Amino acid sequence: MDIQIITREGEPEYAVLPWAQYQALLKAAGIEPQPPRAATARPAATPDQILPGLDQLRSLREGKGIAIEALARTVGISPSYLALIESGERQPDAAIRRSLAWELTVPGWRDES
């Protein structure tokens, strides 16, 4: 089985596995597998829409009244790493960018290249 374990504060919190394996587990447990539901997606950014860059991360977070520790914990990174991202000293990977965008309700980030 291809399972990814996601931890928070050193303790397992989530187990992620491929859909087919999940369906097989349901079937083995005697539960009727459900067809996948359509995901509720946030509106995608349009090309002409001006999106905030990572250089505006701190002001976005502060504007929503979110403490750096709370956002970092929710995203799954340390507050010191988030501070490095906010200061521009580090560039987060795509997963962290998506998580930050989700938590700050930003439809996406523009490329900083």
Side-chain angles (χ1 to χ4, degrees):
M1 230 178 231
D2 302 316
I3 299 177
Q4 175 188 5
I5 304 297
I6 300 173
T7 61
R8 184 180 300 230
E9 298 176 6
E11 295 294 319
E13 187 164 333
Y14 299 101
V16 181
L17 66 154
W19 182 256
Q21 291 177 6
Y22 169 69
Q23 293 295 308
L25 283 174
L26 288 177
K27 190 173 183 178
I31 300 170
E32 185 64 33
Q34 298 294 317
R37 292 183 291 160
T40 43
R42 294 186 182 196
T46 59
D48 59 338
Q49 188 177 15
I50 298 174
L51 298 174
L54 282 172
D55 58 326
Q56 297 172 324
L57 178 58
R58 178 176 288 134
S59 61
L60 285 168
R61 177 182 57 75
E62 290 173 347
K64 292 186 177 286
I66 303 171
I68 193 168
E69 295 82 7
L71 181 59
R73 184 177 55 248
T74 304
V75 171
I77 60 176
S78 70
S80 59
Y81 185 61
L82 181 55
L84 290 171
I85 295 170
E86 286 185 345
S87 69
E89 295 178 54
R90 293 286 186 271
Q91 288 297 312
D93 64 20
I96 293 172
R97 288 170 67 102
R98 282 190 303 271
S99 188
L100 287 168
W102 178 264
E103 295 302 326
L104 295 171
T105 61
V106 176
W109 296 101
R110 69 173 180 254
D111 289 333
E112 297 294 323
S113 51

